[in-house]
C-alpha cells in the first residue's frame, strides 16, 4: 500500500487556484522529488501533507489526502498528532534561540516526554542520524545560533527526526547552503530513506537525479509527469518535462 | 573626461555628502544628550541640598515647606507597582491575543485603531473617567486602588502596543518550525515566541513605568492627598504622590521661596525613582535576552 496518497487535490489561496486536481501516490521508504518552475505549487502541495497550509487565512482545499490509508483532513484528526508523524524541514534553517540540545529535545518536550535519560538518548541518536553528532557533541549546551548555516540545517533535520516521524517533508533544504553542506545533506537523505518516507522539493536537477527514486514534475498547478527518476531524466514521456530538465524553460 | 575620473569625482561628492550628513546627525545627537544632561544637572544641583535622611524618611510639615516627603515616596511606589500589576498582565495578554490568535479582520483593525486613539487622549481625561468610575460609581473613594486602576488605563495602550510590536518582529519561521514539530499554538507561544519577545515586552514595562510615575492629572481626582502626616493603612486609603506633591509645594505653600529647595529635592527623588526603575527593567531585559541566547 502507498504511504501517502493524494486524490484530485484542488487548493485555493482565496480565489487563486494554486493546485488544479493533483492525483499521485508515494511509496514508503522512497525519496520522491518535486520539481518544476517557481510558483508552480510544489511548496503548496508539500505543505498539505502536514497541514501547514491550515495557517494560511482564506485558503481552502478539496480532494482526498491520506496517509497509511487514513484521511488526514478528516474531522477527527488532531493536527498536532499528525505533525508528529509528518516532520518538516524548511528552506531556510530555523533553529530556535535555544541550545543545540534543547533544539533537538524540543519536539519531545512539547509532546509530553519527561524522562531525561530518554530525551538525552533520543537527542544523541537524532544528531547521529543527521550526521551532526561528532561536530557538536562537546558543545550541546551552546546556542544553536553558534553553528554554521549547513550545521543549522542538519540540526533542523535532527530536530525533526527526534520525534520519530514516518514521513519527512523537505522544502528546498539545501538551497541556502554551500556545496559541501549540500553534499552532506544529500548523503543524509540517502541514509534516511531506510527509515523514513521522504518528499523533497528542489530546484536543482542534479540533486533530484542524485537523491530521489521518483520524480514529479509540476507546472502551473498541475502534475505533468510522475515516474521513476531514471525514466524522467533519461526518457520523459512529456515534452514539457524534457524542456524543463534540460533547462529550456523555467 | 575619462570615465575613471568621472566616477572618482562622483565618489568624492558622495563621500562629502556622507560626511556632512554624519556631521549633522552627530551634532543633533550631542544636542539631545546635552539637553538631557542640563535638565538632570539642574535638578541635581538645585535639589541635592534638600536631600537628607530626614527629608527622605520624614513626614512633611508646614504644608511641605519643611520636613520630609516619605509619604509621597511611598505613595508613588504604591501607585507605580499597583498600576503595573494591573496593566501589565492585561496588556500583554491582549497583545498576544491580537497578534497571535485573532485573524487580521476588521475587528482587530478596529481594536488597533481604538488602542492608538486611546494612547493619545490627554491624561486629565483619564483622571475624570477614573473619578467617575472607580471613585464614585464603584465607591472606592479617593484611594490607592482607584488611582492604580486609573493609571493602569493610561498605561494599557502602551503595553498592548509594545507587546504587539515585540511579537510582530519575530519571524514566522519560528512559529512554523515549532508547529511543525507537533507543538500546539499555546506551547509555541510560551516556549518559543514569548522568550524571544521578553526583552522588547520589558521595554514596554520601562516606558509605562516612566509614564505612570510622572503623571499628575490622573491621580488628582482619584487618589492624591495634598498633605498627609501618616502612611496609608490599606489600598482603600488616599495617599500622597511625588508629582502632585511637587505641584502643591511649588504653587500653594505658605512660603514659596522656602519651599523651592524642597520642590527641587522632590523632583530629584522622582527622577531618581524613574531612573532606578529603568535600570532594573534594563537589567531584567538583558537577563532575559541572555537567557534566550544561551538556553
Ligand atoms: N500565502 C499565499 N497566499 C497567496 N498566494 C500564495 C501563497 N503562497 C503561495 N501562493 C501562490 O501560489 C502559487 C504556488 O506557490 P508555491 O509557493 O507553492 O510555489 P513553488 O512551486 O513552491 O515555487 P518556488 O519554487 O518559487 O518555491 C504561486 O503562484 C504563489 O504566488
Ligand atoms: Mg516553494
Amino acid at each position: 500500500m502507498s504511504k501517502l496518497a493524494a486524490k484530485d487535490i484542488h487548493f485555493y489561496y482565496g480565489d487563486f487556484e494554486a493546485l488544479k486536481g493533483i492525483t499521485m501516490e508515494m511509496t514508503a521508504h522512497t525519496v520522491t522529488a518535486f520539481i518544476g518552475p517557481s510558483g508552480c505549487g510544489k511548496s503548496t502541495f508539500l505543505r498539505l501533507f502536514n497541514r501547514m497550509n491550515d495557517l494560511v487565512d482564506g485558503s481552502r482545499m478539496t480532494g482526498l489526502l491520506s496517509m497509511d490509508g487514513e484521511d488526514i483532513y478528516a474531522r477527527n484528526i488532531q493536527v498536532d498528532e499528525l505533525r508528529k508523524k509528518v516532520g518538516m524541514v524548511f528552506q531556510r534553517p530555523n533553529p530556535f534561540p535555544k541550545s543545540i540540545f534543547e533544539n533537538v529535545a524540543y519536539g519531545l518536550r512539547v509532546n509530553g516526554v519527561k524522562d531525561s535519560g530518554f530525551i538525552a538518548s533520543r537527542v544523541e541518536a537524532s544528531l547521529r542520524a543527521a550526521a551532526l553528532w561528532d561536530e557538536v557533541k562537546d558543545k550541546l549546551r551552546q546556542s544553536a545560533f553558534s553553528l554554521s548555516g549547513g550545521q543549522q540545517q542538519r540540526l533542523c533535520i535532527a530536530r525533526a527526526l527526534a520525534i520519530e516521524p514516518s514521513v519527512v517533508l523537505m522544502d528546498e533544504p539545501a538551497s541556502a547552503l554551500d556545496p559541501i553542506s549540500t553534499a552532506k545533506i544529500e548523503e543524509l537523505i540517502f541514509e534516511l530513506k531506510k527509515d523514513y518516507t521522504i518528499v523533497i522539493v528542489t530546484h536543482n536537477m542534479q540533486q533530484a537525479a542524485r537523491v530521489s527514486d521518483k520524480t514529479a514534475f509540476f507546472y502551473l498547478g498541475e502534475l505533468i509527469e510522475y515516474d521513476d527518476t531514471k525514466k524522467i531524466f533519461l526518457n520523459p514521456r512529456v515534452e514539457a518535462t524534457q524542456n524543463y530538465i534540460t533547462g529550456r524553460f523555467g | 573626461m575619462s570615465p575613471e575620473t568621472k566616477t572618482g569625482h562622483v565618489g568624492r561628492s558622495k563621500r562629502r555628502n556622507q560626511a556632512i550628513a554624519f556631521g549633522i546627525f552627530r551634532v543633533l545627537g550631542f544636542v539631545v544628550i546635552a539637553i538631557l544632561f542640563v535638565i538632570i544637572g539642574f535638578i541635581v544641583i538645585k535639589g541635592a541640598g534638600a536631600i537628607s535622611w530626614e527629608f527622605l524618611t520624614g513626614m512633611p510639615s508646614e504644608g511641605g515647606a519643611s520636613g520630609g516627603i516619605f509619604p509621597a515616596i511611598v505613595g508613588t511606589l504604591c501607585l507605580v507597582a499597583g498600576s503595573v500589576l494591573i496593566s501589565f498582565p492585561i496588556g500583554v495578554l491582549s497583545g498576544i491575543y491580537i497578534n497571535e490568535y485573532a485573524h487580521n479582520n476588521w475587528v482587530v483593525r478596529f481594536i488597533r485603531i481604538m488602542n492608538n486613539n486611546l494612547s493619545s487622549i490627554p491624561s486629565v481625561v483619564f483622571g475624570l473617567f477614573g473619578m467617575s468610575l472607580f471613585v464614585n460609581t464603584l465607591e472606592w473613594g479617593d484611594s490607592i486602588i482607584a488611582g492604580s486602576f486609573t493609571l493602569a488605563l493610561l498605561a494599557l495602550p502602551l503595553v498592548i502596543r509594545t507587546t504587539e510590536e515585540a511579537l510582530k518582529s519575530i519571524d514566522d519561521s519560528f512559529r512554523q518550525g515549532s508547529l511543525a514539530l507537533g507543538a500546539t499554538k499555546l506551547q509555541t507561544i510560551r516556549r518559543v515566541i514569548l522568550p524571544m519577545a521578553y526583552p522588547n515586552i520589558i521595554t514596554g514595562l520601562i516606558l509605562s513605568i516612566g509614564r505612570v510615575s510622572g503623571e499628575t492629572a490622573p491621580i488628582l481626582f482619584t487618589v492624591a492627598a495634598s498633605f498627609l502626616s501618616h502612611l496609608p493603612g490599606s489600598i482603600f486609603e488616599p495617599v500622597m504622590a511625588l508629582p502632585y506633591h511637587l505641584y502643591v509645594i511649588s504653587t500653594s505653600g505658605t512660603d514659596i521661596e522656602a519651599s523651592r529647595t524642597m520642590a527641587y529635592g522632590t523632583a530629584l527623588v522622582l527622577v531618581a525613582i524613574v531612573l532606578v526603575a529603568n535600570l532594573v527593567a534594563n537589567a531584567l531585559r538583558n537577563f532575559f535576552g541572555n537567557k534566550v541566547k544561551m538556553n
Side-chain angles (χ1 to χ4, degrees):
Chain A
M1 191 178 61
S2 60
K3 181 76 189 171
L4 299 168
K7 209 168 155 205
D8 196 26
I9 299 294
H10 293 257
F11 186 86
Y12 306 84
Y13 291 109
D15 294 333
F16 175 69
E17 187 176 16
L19 299 174
K20 302 169 183 165
I22 300 210
T23 301
M24 71 185 287
E25 297 190 354
M26 284 158 259
T27 326
H29 303 295
T30 56
V31 178
T32 305
F34 289 177
I35 61 171
S38 193
C40 65
K42 308 177 294 293
S43 298
T44 301
F45 188 49
L46 188 76
R47 295 160 64 89
L48 287 175
F49 291 97
N50 65 344
R51 293 190 54 170
M52 239 22 204
N53 287 334
D54 289 13
L55 303 174
V56 182
D57 277 349
S59 67
R60 162 172 79 81
M61 185 196 90
T62 65
L64 187 70
L65 263 191
S66 56
M67 179 166 76
D68 300 321
E70 197 186 357
D71 178 3
I72 60 177
Y73 280 76
R75 259 172 205 285
N76 61 346
I77 291 288
Q78 295 268 309
V79 179
D80 40 333
E81 293 296 318
L82 170 74
R83 288 180 185 149
K84 272 195 254 175
K85 294 184 233 156
V86 185
M88 180 163 224
V89 177
F90 296 81
Q91 180 169 358
R92 275 187 307 137
N94 58 349
F96 304 127
K98 298 174 184 289
S99 69
I100 293 169
F101 184 92
E102 283 304 320
N103 261 279
V104 185
Y106 183 85
L108 298 165
R109 294 201 196 282
V110 296
N111 287 300
V113 180
K114 295 252 160 38
D115 181 346
S116 59
F118 177 74
I119 292 179
S121 73
R122 276 307 304 158
V123 168
E124 176 171 347
S126 312
L127 285 168
R128 280 190 193 282
L132 190 59
W133 176 253
D134 290 330
E135 290 158 67
V136 301
K137 63 171 183 281
D138 298 320
K139 49 175 186 179
L140 293 174
R141 293 290 158 192
Q142 281 181 29
S143 166
F145 291 163
S146 68
L147 299 174
S148 74
Q151 289 174 323
Q152 287 187 11
Q153 191 62 306
R154 277 179 285 147
L155 181 68
C156 291
I157 294 176
R159 188 174 73 178
L161 300 183
I163 47 175
E164 309 191 272
S166 59
V167 175
V168 180
L169 310 172
M170 300 183 170
D171 196 347
E172 304 185 46
S175 68
L177 305 182
D178 64 283
I180 293 175
S181 303
T182 302
K184 280 194 175 149
I185 301 248
E186 286 181 10
E187 258 171 59
L188 187 56
I189 291 170
F190 199 78
E191 283 298 311
L192 291 177
K193 77 172 177 188
K194 293 187 196 116
D195 301 311
Y196 305 91
T197 304
I198 294 175
V199 185
I200 177 173
V201 174
T202 178
H203 275 284
N204 180 330
M205 291 308 109
Q206 286 80 28
Q207 185 170 73
R210 279 193 299 265
V211 302
S212 70
D213 304 298
K214 295 263 203 164
T215 296
F217 172 61
F218 292 83
Y219 184 57
L220 295 178
E222 287 180 80
L223 176 61
I224 305 297
E225 190 168 357
Y226 175 44
D227 214 323
D228 289 340
T229 297
K230 262 203 201 91
K231 177 98 191 324
I232 294 275
F233 279 89
L234 295 178
N235 186 20
R237 196 170 31 82
V238 185
E239 200 186 336
T241 315
Q242 172 84 35
N243 289 342
Y244 181 72
I245 57 177
T246 53
R248 270 196 285 265
F249 80 85
Chain B
M1 205 192 276
S2 78
E4 242 174 59
T5 54
K6 236 177 170 170
T7 55
H9 178 70
V10 170
R12 257 202 309 285
S13 80
K14 253 169 79 180
R15 271 195 296 282
R16 198 186 53 229
N17 287 344
Q18 171 147 315
I20 293 174
F22 271 142
I24 293 175
F25 289 144
R26 190 170 296 145
V27 168
L28 288 177
F30 278 124
V31 166
V32 169
I33 292 171
I35 291 175
L36 199 67
F37 269 97
V38 166
I39 293 177
I40 292 181
F42 179 74
I43 292 172
V44 169
I45 290 167
K46 289 266 199 177
I51 304 293
S52 68
W53 186 246
E54 204 233 319
F55 180 70
L56 293 177
T57 60
M59 296 293 162
S61 55
E62 296 173 47
S66 69
I69 56 166
F70 189 57
I73 296 178
V74 171
T76 286
L77 291 180
C78 285
L79 290 173
V80 168
S83 59
V84 163
L85 277 179
I86 298 162
S87 65
F88 223 63
I90 300 176
V92 169
L93 289 178
S94 311
I96 291 175
Y97 173 74
I98 294 174
N99 198 64
E100 303 291 323
Y101 283 94
H103 295 274
N104 190 19
N105 55 20
W106 67 269
V107 181
V108 167
R109 281 196 290 276
F110 181 72
I111 292 177
R112 209 169 276 144
I113 291 170
M114 289 315 289
N115 193 44
N116 287 346
N117 287 340
L118 211 57
S119 57
S120 53
I121 291 177
S123 58
V124 66
V125 177
F126 281 92
L128 274 177
F129 177 75
M131 178 176 70
S132 103
L133 178 61
F134 303 123
V135 177
N136 296 334
T137 309
L138 295 176
E139 297 183 348
W140 290 344
D142 275 2
S143 59
I144 295 178
I145 185 167
S148 295
F149 268 93
T150 309
L151 288 171
L153 286 183
L154 191 78
L156 202 53
L158 202 63
V159 177
I160 294 177
R161 250 248 299 279
T162 40
T163 303
E164 218 192 314
E165 295 297 327
L167 293 172
K168 207 182 292 166
S169 72
I170 292 166
D171 200 276
D172 249 354
S173 69
F174 292 108
R175 295 182 180 84
Q176 297 194 8
S178 171
L179 293 172
L181 290 166
T184 61
K185 202 159 183 170
L186 187 61
Q187 287 174 323
T188 300
I189 292 171
R190 281 196 24 206
R191 291 170 185 250
V192 178
I193 305 305
L194 274 186
M196 293 177 80
Y198 276 143
N200 286 332
I201 292 179
I202 289 170
T203 305
L205 181 73
I206 300 178
L207 292 174
S208 59
I209 288 177
R211 171 131 207 227
V212 158
S213 56
E215 282 293 344
T216 313
I219 56 176
L220 204 56
F221 319 125
T222 56
V223 53
S226 59
F227 190 83
L228 280 178
S229 54
H230 61 91
L231 293 179
S234 81
I235 55 170
F236 290 101
E237 286 180 24
V239 74
M240 293 174 70
L242 288 169
Y244 184 52
H245 185 63
L246 183 56
Y247 171 76
V248 170
I249 56 180
S250 317
T251 55
S252 58
T254 43
D255 181 355
I256 298 283
E257 278 315 308
S259 320
R260 275 287 181 255
T261 326
M262 305 303 269
Y264 283 115
T266 308
L268 180 55
V269 171
L270 182 54
V271 169
I273 287 180
V274 174
L275 278 181
V276 168
N278 282 5
L279 288 179
V280 170
N282 246 321
L284 226 63
R285 184 190 151 101
N286 289 339
F287 172 74
F288 277 119
N290 287 337
K291 224 174 97 176
V292 167
K293 266 179 250 133
M294 296 311 300
N295 195 2

